[in-house]
Amino acid sequence: MTMATSELLAASSDHAVAVTIAFVGGLIVACALIWAVRVGMRVMDKDTHHPDPAEQPHLPEGGPVHEMREMREPDDVPVMAPDGRRLLPHELHRASTRTGKDQKPRRWSPGSSGSFGGGGLGRT
């Protein structure tokens, strides 16, 4: 765009009218959004049920529930049933792990490497 075109657009009254119309349109949209938010807040305050202190969750009679820790081991799916036919989906179990026979957690032992590439000689 050349300088002459810029000056012509700036000086024309049509350009000023277009800017004014765009500003008024933006102002109307902004006011409509503010009004919609205020109406929504009023509706939410009126409709939402806020629970009483008696309705709040509380601890069970026996006290807090604690987590259970156990060592798991893989429970592989057999390729075939013992009688030689293929297994059907309803014959499979849902978990891919089972409770391990050894429930003692594995610990780091001195002299073993901490991770791949962690240096050291590893177990010798």
Side-chain angles (χ1 to χ4, degrees), residues 41-122:
M41 288 172 63
R42 269 191 244 129
V43 168
M44 287 295 289
D45 285 342
K46 194 184 309 179
D47 289 345
T48 305
H49 169 69
H50 300 289
D52 297 84
E55 296 174 334
Q56 297 290 335
H58 57 281
L59 284 175
E61 295 290 329
V65 179
H66 298 286
E67 67 181 32
M68 182 179 78
R69 294 185 135 197
E70 66 179 359
M71 301 301 293
R72 305 286 293 177
E73 62 184 24
D75 190 14
D76 297 328
V77 177
V79 179
M80 283 192 237
D83 60 355
R85 61 180 178 77
R86 71 183 181 104
L87 290 173
L88 299 175
H90 69 276
E91 296 172 324
L92 299 174
H93 51 280
R94 18 175 222 158
S96 62
T97 60
R98 64 175 177 248
T99 303
K101 293 177 179 72
D102 181 20
Q103 289 296 311
K104 183 180 177 193
R106 289 185 283 179
R107 299 282 184 213
W108 176 79
S109 60
S112 67
S113 171
S115 64
F116 177 75
L121 300 173

